[in-house]
mmCIF file of all heavy atoms in Angstrom:
data_model
loop_
_atom_site.group_PDB
_atom_site.id
_atom_site.type_symbol
_atom_site.label_atom_id
_atom_site.label_comp_id
_atom_site.label_asym_id
_atom_site.label_seq_id
_atom_site.Cartn_x
_atom_site.Cartn_y
_atom_site.Cartn_z
ATOM 1 N N ALA A 136 -126.020 170.421 110.980
ATOM 2 C CA ALA A 136 -125.315 171.668 110.783
ATOM 3 C C ALA A 136 -124.900 172.157 112.188
ATOM 4 O O ALA A 136 -125.659 172.005 113.135
ATOM 5 C CB ALA A 136 -126.105 172.644 110.105
ATOM 6 N N GLY A 137 -123.685 172.655 112.268
ATOM 7 C CA GLY A 137 -123.206 173.255 113.468
ATOM 8 C C GLY A 137 -122.572 172.237 114.418
ATOM 9 O O GLY A 137 -122.138 172.605 115.488
ATOM 10 N N THR A 138 -122.636 171.009 114.008
ATOM 11 C CA THR A 138 -122.105 169.976 114.991
ATOM 12 C C THR A 138 -120.769 169.451 114.324
ATOM 13 O O THR A 138 -120.705 169.162 113.154
ATOM 14 C CB THR A 138 -123.192 168.830 115.077
ATOM 15 O OG1 THR A 138 -124.366 169.377 115.580
ATOM 16 C CG2 THR A 138 -122.678 167.719 116.114
ATOM 17 N N THR A 139 -119.843 169.266 115.256
ATOM 18 C CA THR A 139 -118.538 168.613 114.859
ATOM 19 C C THR A 139 -118.241 167.464 115.686
ATOM 20 O O THR A 139 -119.089 167.039 116.560
ATOM 21 C CB THR A 139 -117.416 169.772 114.928
ATOM 22 O OG1 THR A 139 -117.343 170.098 116.325
ATOM 23 C CG2 THR A 139 -117.688 170.937 114.118
ATOM 24 N N TYR A 140 -117.045 166.889 115.428
ATOM 25 C CA TYR A 140 -116.596 165.674 116.162
ATOM 26 C C TYR A 140 -115.106 165.703 116.212
ATOM 27 O O TYR A 140 -114.458 166.467 115.547
ATOM 28 C CB TYR A 140 -117.088 164.397 115.381
ATOM 29 C CG TYR A 140 -116.256 164.212 114.094
ATOM 30 C CD1 TYR A 140 -115.179 163.424 114.171
ATOM 31 C CD2 TYR A 140 -116.592 164.816 113.007
ATOM 32 C CE1 TYR A 140 -114.370 163.248 112.976
ATOM 33 C CE2 TYR A 140 -115.802 164.607 111.795
ATOM 34 C CZ TYR A 140 -114.683 163.952 111.879
ATOM 35 O OH TYR A 140 -113.912 163.822 110.755
ATOM 36 N N THR A 141 -114.618 164.783 117.041
ATOM 37 C CA THR A 141 -113.182 164.607 117.091
ATOM 38 C C THR A 141 -112.955 163.129 117.558
ATOM 39 O O THR A 141 -113.714 162.604 118.377
ATOM 40 C CB THR A 141 -112.399 165.645 118.008
ATOM 41 O OG1 THR A 141 -111.036 165.397 117.829
ATOM 42 C CG2 THR A 141 -112.754 165.361 119.431
ATOM 43 N N THR A 142 -111.893 162.546 117.100
ATOM 44 C CA THR A 142 -111.590 161.207 117.345
ATOM 45 C C THR A 142 -111.032 161.174 118.726
ATOM 46 O O THR A 142 -110.119 161.869 119.133
ATOM 47 C CB THR A 142 -110.520 160.639 116.406
ATOM 48 O OG1 THR A 142 -111.065 160.759 115.067
ATOM 49 C CG2 THR A 142 -110.082 159.244 116.748
ATOM 50 N N VAL A 143 -111.523 160.175 119.602
ATOM 51 C CA VAL A 143 -110.942 159.971 120.893
ATOM 52 C C VAL A 143 -110.261 158.593 121.070
ATOM 53 O O VAL A 143 -109.530 158.369 122.023
ATOM 54 C CB VAL A 143 -111.924 160.223 122.063
ATOM 55 C CG1 VAL A 143 -112.380 161.695 122.161
ATOM 56 C CG2 VAL A 143 -113.096 159.291 121.938
ATOM 57 N N GLN A 144 -110.631 157.684 120.155
ATOM 58 C CA GLN A 144 -109.993 156.429 120.140
ATOM 59 C C GLN A 144 -109.913 155.888 118.700
ATOM 60 O O GLN A 144 -110.850 156.010 117.929
ATOM 61 C CB GLN A 144 -110.810 155.487 121.036
ATOM 62 C CG GLN A 144 -110.293 153.997 121.117
ATOM 63 C CD GLN A 144 -110.817 153.226 119.894
ATOM 64 O OE1 GLN A 144 -111.910 153.317 119.377
ATOM 65 N NE2 GLN A 144 -110.031 152.156 119.634
ATOM 66 N N LEU A 145 -108.730 155.343 118.423
ATOM 67 C CA LEU A 145 -108.567 154.728 117.047
ATOM 68 C C LEU A 145 -107.916 153.356 117.235
ATOM 69 O O LEU A 145 -106.797 153.348 117.743
ATOM 70 C CB LEU A 145 -107.730 155.684 116.160
ATOM 71 C CG LEU A 145 -107.342 155.208 114.796
ATOM 72 C CD1 LEU A 145 -108.612 155.106 113.843
ATOM 73 C CD2 LEU A 145 -106.426 156.154 114.169
ATOM 74 N N GLY A 146 -108.593 152.300 116.779
ATOM 75 C CA GLY A 146 -107.976 151.036 116.844
ATOM 76 C C GLY A 146 -107.690 150.514 115.420
ATOM 77 O O GLY A 146 -108.611 150.346 114.687
ATOM 78 N N VAL A 147 -106.432 150.288 115.063
ATOM 79 C CA VAL A 147 -106.066 149.934 113.690
ATOM 80 C C VAL A 147 -105.454 148.535 113.626
ATOM 81 O O VAL A 147 -104.534 148.171 114.562
ATOM 82 C CB VAL A 147 -105.072 150.969 112.997
ATOM 83 C CG1 VAL A 147 -104.656 150.457 111.687
ATOM 84 C CG2 VAL A 147 -105.769 152.242 112.971
ATOM 85 N N HIS A 148 -105.801 147.687 112.701
ATOM 86 C CA HIS A 148 -105.277 146.404 112.509
ATOM 87 C C HIS A 148 -104.653 146.320 111.144
ATOM 88 O O HIS A 148 -105.450 146.313 110.165
ATOM 89 C CB HIS A 148 -106.360 145.228 112.772
ATOM 90 C CG HIS A 148 -106.997 145.334 114.115
ATOM 91 N ND1 HIS A 148 -106.354 144.682 115.164
ATOM 92 C CD2 HIS A 148 -108.024 145.947 114.512
ATOM 93 C CE1 HIS A 148 -107.132 144.885 116.249
ATOM 94 N NE2 HIS A 148 -108.101 145.760 115.905
ATOM 95 N N MET A 149 -103.352 146.122 111.023
ATOM 96 C CA MET A 149 -102.686 145.904 109.709
ATOM 97 C C MET A 149 -102.749 144.522 109.406
ATOM 98 O O MET A 149 -102.202 143.647 110.183
ATOM 99 C CB MET A 149 -101.260 146.458 109.840
ATOM 100 C CG MET A 149 -101.141 147.848 110.421
ATOM 101 S SD MET A 149 -101.799 149.157 109.266
ATOM 102 C CE MET A 149 -101.342 150.567 110.214
ATOM 103 N N ILE A 150 -103.235 144.109 108.241
ATOM 104 C CA ILE A 150 -103.300 142.704 107.789
ATOM 105 C C ILE A 150 -102.185 142.292 106.933
ATOM 106 O O ILE A 150 -101.667 141.239 107.029
ATOM 107 C CB ILE A 150 -104.712 142.511 107.091
ATOM 108 C CG1 ILE A 150 -105.800 142.923 108.063
ATOM 109 C CG2 ILE A 150 -104.837 141.081 106.761
ATOM 110 C CD1 ILE A 150 -105.877 142.262 109.415
ATOM 111 N N ARG A 151 -101.850 143.109 105.890
ATOM 112 C CA ARG A 151 -100.785 142.758 104.987
ATOM 113 C C ARG A 151 -100.007 144.022 104.619
ATOM 114 O O ARG A 151 -100.551 145.014 104.687
ATOM 115 C CB ARG A 151 -101.347 142.031 103.719
ATOM 116 C CG ARG A 151 -102.225 142.821 102.926
ATOM 117 C CD ARG A 151 -102.622 142.151 101.575
ATOM 118 N NE ARG A 151 -102.628 140.740 101.536
ATOM 119 C CZ ARG A 151 -103.748 139.932 101.806
ATOM 120 N NH1 ARG A 151 -104.930 140.588 101.968
ATOM 121 N NH2 ARG A 151 -103.731 138.630 101.655
ATOM 122 N N PRO A 152 -98.752 143.844 104.230
ATOM 123 C CA PRO A 152 -97.982 145.049 103.880
ATOM 124 C C PRO A 152 -98.449 145.748 102.577
ATOM 125 O O PRO A 152 -98.866 145.034 101.722
ATOM 126 C CB PRO A 152 -96.544 144.532 103.790
ATOM 127 C CG PRO A 152 -96.688 143.081 103.508
ATOM 128 C CD PRO A 152 -98.008 142.565 104.098
ATOM 129 N N VAL A 153 -98.249 147.005 102.618
ATOM 130 C CA VAL A 153 -98.489 147.818 101.372
ATOM 131 C C VAL A 153 -97.140 148.176 100.871
ATOM 132 O O VAL A 153 -96.248 148.638 101.548
ATOM 133 C CB VAL A 153 -99.311 149.058 101.673
ATOM 134 C CG1 VAL A 153 -99.468 149.871 100.427
ATOM 135 C CG2 VAL A 153 -100.680 148.674 102.217
ATOM 136 N N LEU A 154 -96.939 147.931 99.579
ATOM 137 C CA LEU A 154 -95.645 148.141 98.963
ATOM 138 C C LEU A 154 -95.761 149.482 98.128
ATOM 139 O O LEU A 154 -96.884 149.886 97.744
ATOM 140 C CB LEU A 154 -95.214 146.960 98.111
ATOM 141 C CG LEU A 154 -95.167 145.720 98.823
ATOM 142 C CD1 LEU A 154 -94.831 144.549 97.833
ATOM 143 C CD2 LEU A 154 -94.143 145.779 99.942
ATOM 144 N N ALA A 155 -94.682 150.002 97.657
ATOM 145 C CA ALA A 155 -94.671 151.166 96.762
ATOM 146 C C ALA A 155 -95.467 150.883 95.465
ATOM 147 O O ALA A 155 -96.170 151.874 94.930
ATOM 148 C CB ALA A 155 -93.254 151.714 96.433
ATOM 149 N N ARG A 156 -95.463 149.722 95.043
ATOM 150 C CA ARG A 156 -96.068 149.343 93.725
ATOM 151 C C ARG A 156 -97.467 148.805 93.930
ATOM 152 O O ARG A 156 -98.094 148.341 92.926
ATOM 153 C CB ARG A 156 -95.198 148.378 92.968
ATOM 154 C CG ARG A 156 -95.027 146.995 93.680
ATOM 155 C CD ARG A 156 -94.155 146.034 92.816
ATOM 156 N NE ARG A 156 -94.010 144.840 93.540
ATOM 157 C CZ ARG A 156 -93.204 144.469 94.559
ATOM 158 N NH1 ARG A 156 -92.296 145.463 94.899
ATOM 159 N NH2 ARG A 156 -93.154 143.286 95.090
ATOM 160 N N THR A 157 -97.962 148.774 95.148
ATOM 161 C CA THR A 157 -99.333 148.234 95.381
ATOM 162 C C THR A 157 -100.327 149.158 94.699
ATOM 163 O O THR A 157 -100.200 150.402 94.781
ATOM 164 C CB THR A 157 -99.676 148.253 96.891
ATOM 165 O OG1 THR A 157 -98.797 147.342 97.565
ATOM 166 C CG2 THR A 157 -101.107 147.827 97.236
ATOM 167 N N PRO A 158 -101.310 148.652 93.903
ATOM 168 C CA PRO A 158 -102.257 149.475 93.199
ATOM 169 C C PRO A 158 -103.171 150.267 94.119
ATOM 170 O O PRO A 158 -103.077 150.049 95.370
ATOM 171 C CB PRO A 158 -103.030 148.513 92.284
ATOM 172 C CG PRO A 158 -102.198 147.253 92.280
ATOM 173 C CD PRO A 158 -101.399 147.290 93.552
ATOM 174 N N THR A 159 -103.966 151.071 93.571
ATOM 175 C CA THR A 159 -104.862 151.910 94.415
ATOM 176 C C THR A 159 -105.612 151.203 95.488
ATOM 177 O O THR A 159 -106.094 150.028 95.218
ATOM 178 C CB THR A 159 -105.897 152.606 93.462
ATOM 179 O OG1 THR A 159 -105.245 153.394 92.569
ATOM 180 C CG2 THR A 159 -106.884 153.423 94.257
ATOM 181 N N LEU A 160 -105.682 151.726 96.635
ATOM 182 C CA LEU A 160 -106.389 151.191 97.808
ATOM 183 C C LEU A 160 -107.717 151.876 97.961
ATOM 184 O O LEU A 160 -107.855 153.075 97.704
ATOM 185 C CB LEU A 160 -105.673 151.297 99.119
ATOM 186 C CG LEU A 160 -104.259 150.593 99.096
ATOM 187 C CD1 LEU A 160 -103.420 150.914 100.361
ATOM 188 C CD2 LEU A 160 -104.451 149.057 98.971
ATOM 189 N N ARG A 161 -108.725 151.156 98.362
ATOM 190 C CA ARG A 161 -110.108 151.661 98.594
ATOM 191 C C ARG A 161 -110.367 151.489 100.146
ATOM 192 O O ARG A 161 -110.208 150.445 100.694
ATOM 193 C CB ARG A 161 -111.057 150.810 97.766
ATOM 194 C CG ARG A 161 -112.439 151.266 97.929
ATOM 195 C CD ARG A 161 -113.298 150.345 97.000
ATOM 196 N NE ARG A 161 -114.779 150.537 97.212
ATOM 197 C CZ ARG A 161 -115.475 151.364 96.508
ATOM 198 N NH1 ARG A 161 -114.869 152.171 95.613
ATOM 199 N NH2 ARG A 161 -116.834 151.588 96.749
ATOM 200 N N CYS A 162 -110.839 152.678 100.743
ATOM 201 C CA CYS A 162 -111.151 152.594 102.129
ATOM 202 C C CYS A 162 -112.610 152.969 102.291
ATOM 203 O O CYS A 162 -113.006 154.146 101.984
ATOM 204 C CB CYS A 162 -110.207 153.521 102.941
ATOM 205 S SG CYS A 162 -110.474 153.560 104.694
ATOM 206 N N GLU A 163 -113.357 152.003 102.877
ATOM 207 C CA GLU A 163 -114.831 152.319 103.049
ATOM 208 C C GLU A 163 -115.106 152.400 104.595
ATOM 209 O O GLU A 163 -114.669 151.554 105.329
ATOM 210 C CB GLU A 163 -115.627 151.096 102.528
ATOM 211 C CG GLU A 163 -115.488 150.935 101.039
ATOM 212 C CD GLU A 163 -116.391 149.792 100.497
ATOM 213 O OE1 GLU A 163 -117.530 149.709 100.907
ATOM 214 O OE2 GLU A 163 -115.801 149.001 99.657
ATOM 215 N N GLY A 164 -115.697 153.557 104.970
ATOM 216 C CA GLY A 164 -116.004 153.779 106.358
ATOM 217 C C GLY A 164 -117.543 153.763 106.528
ATOM 218 O O GLY A 164 -118.220 154.285 105.634
ATOM 219 N N THR A 165 -118.009 153.215 107.647
ATOM 220 C CA THR A 165 -119.422 153.137 107.918
ATOM 221 C C THR A 165 -119.619 153.601 109.344
ATOM 222 O O THR A 165 -118.975 153.038 110.325
ATOM 223 C CB THR A 165 -119.912 151.690 107.741
ATOM 224 O OG1 THR A 165 -119.604 151.247 106.410
ATOM 225 C CG2 THR A 165 -121.367 151.575 108.067
ATOM 226 N N ALA A 166 -120.527 154.495 109.563
ATOM 227 C CA ALA A 166 -120.949 154.943 110.892
ATOM 228 C C ALA A 166 -121.831 153.860 111.530
ATOM 229 O O ALA A 166 -122.738 153.413 110.970
ATOM 230 C CB ALA A 166 -121.625 156.248 110.907
ATOM 231 N N LEU A 167 -121.513 153.367 112.765
ATOM 232 C CA LEU A 167 -122.326 152.384 113.448
ATOM 233 C C LEU A 167 -123.286 152.974 114.330
ATOM 234 O O LEU A 167 -124.450 152.519 114.484
ATOM 235 C CB LEU A 167 -121.383 151.459 114.166
ATOM 236 C CG LEU A 167 -120.384 150.657 113.285
ATOM 237 C CD1 LEU A 167 -119.498 149.840 114.193
ATOM 238 C CD2 LEU A 167 -121.062 149.737 112.295
ATOM 239 N N HIS A 168 -122.841 154.015 115.135
ATOM 240 C CA HIS A 168 -123.713 154.698 116.098
ATOM 241 C C HIS A 168 -123.327 156.062 116.138
ATOM 242 O O HIS A 168 -122.168 156.434 116.298
ATOM 243 C CB HIS A 168 -123.494 154.055 117.457
ATOM 244 C CG HIS A 168 -124.041 154.957 118.568
ATOM 245 N ND1 HIS A 168 -125.375 154.959 118.906
ATOM 246 C CD2 HIS A 168 -123.427 155.664 119.424
ATOM 247 C CE1 HIS A 168 -125.557 155.825 119.965
ATOM 248 N NE2 HIS A 168 -124.383 156.256 120.239
ATOM 249 N N VAL A 169 -124.250 156.993 115.966
ATOM 250 C CA VAL A 169 -124.090 158.439 116.187
ATOM 251 C C VAL A 169 -125.114 158.920 117.163
ATOM 252 O O VAL A 169 -126.299 159.068 116.802
ATOM 253 C CB VAL A 169 -124.154 159.202 114.938
ATOM 254 C CG1 VAL A 169 -123.877 160.695 115.027
ATOM 255 C CG2 VAL A 169 -123.168 158.680 113.822
ATOM 256 N N GLY A 170 -124.618 159.059 118.380
ATOM 257 C CA GLY A 170 -125.536 159.584 119.424
ATOM 258 C C GLY A 170 -125.367 161.085 119.768
ATOM 259 O O GLY A 170 -124.721 161.847 119.009
ATOM 260 N N ARG A 171 -125.889 161.460 120.943
ATOM 261 C CA ARG A 171 -125.866 162.833 121.282
ATOM 262 C C ARG A 171 -124.472 163.269 121.549
ATOM 263 O O ARG A 171 -123.989 164.377 121.341
ATOM 264 C CB ARG A 171 -126.775 163.148 122.470
ATOM 265 C CG ARG A 171 -126.717 164.508 123.014
ATOM 266 C CD ARG A 171 -128.038 165.071 123.407
ATOM 267 N NE ARG A 171 -127.871 166.478 123.704
ATOM 268 C CZ ARG A 171 -127.912 167.459 122.836
ATOM 269 N NH1 ARG A 171 -128.080 167.311 121.557
ATOM 270 N NH2 ARG A 171 -127.810 168.703 123.199
ATOM 271 N N THR A 172 -123.650 162.393 122.267
ATOM 272 C CA THR A 172 -122.361 162.831 122.709
ATOM 273 C C THR A 172 -121.243 161.936 122.131
ATOM 274 O O THR A 172 -120.023 162.298 122.215
ATOM 275 C CB THR A 172 -122.217 162.729 124.326
ATOM 276 O OG1 THR A 172 -122.564 161.410 124.763
ATOM 277 C CG2 THR A 172 -123.177 163.707 124.880
ATOM 278 N N THR A 173 -121.528 160.658 121.696
ATOM 279 C CA THR A 173 -120.467 159.832 121.178
ATOM 280 C C THR A 173 -120.944 159.179 119.815
ATOM 281 O O THR A 173 -122.121 159.094 119.630
ATOM 282 C CB THR A 173 -120.134 158.689 122.159
ATOM 283 O OG1 THR A 173 -121.293 157.845 122.389
ATOM 284 C CG2 THR A 173 -119.496 159.208 123.494
ATOM 285 N N ALA A 174 -119.864 158.750 119.156
ATOM 286 C CA ALA A 174 -120.217 158.081 117.832
ATOM 287 C C ALA A 174 -119.235 156.953 117.644
ATOM 288 O O ALA A 174 -118.020 157.082 118.105
ATOM 289 C CB ALA A 174 -120.207 158.955 116.673
ATOM 290 N N THR A 175 -119.535 155.879 116.902
ATOM 291 C CA THR A 175 -118.578 154.846 116.601
ATOM 292 C C THR A 175 -118.674 154.528 115.115
ATOM 293 O O THR A 175 -119.809 154.664 114.551
ATOM 294 C CB THR A 175 -118.794 153.606 117.444
ATOM 295 O OG1 THR A 175 -120.165 153.120 117.170
ATOM 296 C CG2 THR A 175 -118.676 153.777 118.922
ATOM 297 N N ALA A 176 -117.596 154.002 114.627
ATOM 298 C CA ALA A 176 -117.621 153.681 113.168
ATOM 299 C C ALA A 176 -116.594 152.653 112.936
ATOM 300 O O ALA A 176 -115.719 152.307 113.790
ATOM 301 C CB ALA A 176 -117.272 154.917 112.277
ATOM 302 N N GLU A 177 -116.727 151.935 111.748
ATOM 303 C CA GLU A 177 -115.711 150.931 111.338
ATOM 304 C C GLU A 177 -115.311 151.214 109.895
ATOM 305 O O GLU A 177 -116.002 151.801 109.136
ATOM 306 C CB GLU A 177 -116.268 149.517 111.489
ATOM 307 C CG GLU A 177 -117.472 149.214 110.594
ATOM 308 C CD GLU A 177 -118.028 147.864 110.889
ATOM 309 O OE1 GLU A 177 -117.622 147.181 111.817
ATOM 310 O OE2 GLU A 177 -119.003 147.519 110.135
ATOM 311 N N ALA A 178 -114.088 150.776 109.483
ATOM 312 C CA ALA A 178 -113.672 150.938 108.117
ATOM 313 C C ALA A 178 -112.627 149.799 107.788
ATOM 314 O O ALA A 178 -112.049 149.132 108.600
ATOM 315 C CB ALA A 178 -112.888 152.304 108.009
ATOM 316 N N ARG A 179 -112.525 149.648 106.452
ATOM 317 C CA ARG A 179 -111.651 148.608 105.923
ATOM 318 C C ARG A 179 -110.946 149.199 104.689
ATOM 319 O O ARG A 179 -111.499 149.886 103.935
ATOM 320 C CB ARG A 179 -112.565 147.413 105.380
ATOM 321 C CG ARG A 179 -113.340 146.712 106.484
ATOM 322 C CD ARG A 179 -114.460 145.776 105.975
ATOM 323 N NE ARG A 179 -114.069 145.013 104.775
ATOM 324 C CZ ARG A 179 -113.740 143.732 104.859
ATOM 325 N NH1 ARG A 179 -113.778 143.055 105.967
ATOM 326 N NH2 ARG A 179 -113.343 143.017 103.745
ATOM 327 N N VAL A 180 -109.712 148.808 104.598
ATOM 328 C CA VAL A 180 -108.876 149.164 103.404
ATOM 329 C C VAL A 180 -108.718 147.891 102.640
ATOM 330 O O VAL A 180 -108.167 146.928 103.095
ATOM 331 C CB VAL A 180 -107.482 149.680 103.708
ATOM 332 C CG1 VAL A 180 -106.725 149.911 102.603
ATOM 333 C CG2 VAL A 180 -107.679 150.953 104.578
ATOM 334 N N THR A 181 -109.129 147.885 101.356
ATOM 335 C CA THR A 181 -108.993 146.765 100.421
ATOM 336 C C THR A 181 -108.320 147.292 99.161
ATOM 337 O O THR A 181 -108.337 148.396 98.838
ATOM 338 C CB THR A 181 -110.347 146.157 100.087
ATOM 339 O OG1 THR A 181 -111.232 147.173 99.482
ATOM 340 C CG2 THR A 181 -111.077 145.572 101.351
ATOM 341 N N GLY A 182 -107.755 146.299 98.432
ATOM 342 C CA GLY A 182 -107.243 146.570 97.123
ATOM 343 C C GLY A 182 -108.433 146.985 96.141
ATOM 344 O O GLY A 182 -109.397 146.202 96.066
#
Side-chain angles (χ1 to χ4, degrees):
T138 304
T139 60
Y140 72 93
T141 189
T142 301
V143 295
Q144 178 274 333
L145 175 66
V147 177
H148 301 274
M149 310 290 184
I150 305 302
R151 63 174 30 95
V153 176
L154 307 176
R156 65 182 181 275
T157 299
T159 299
L160 297 173
R161 179 180 173 89
C162 185
E163 298 182 44
T165 304
L167 300 175
H168 164 78
V169 180
R171 176 139 188 86
T172 58
T173 60
T175 60
E177 64 184 6
R179 298 164 44 100
V180 175
T181 57

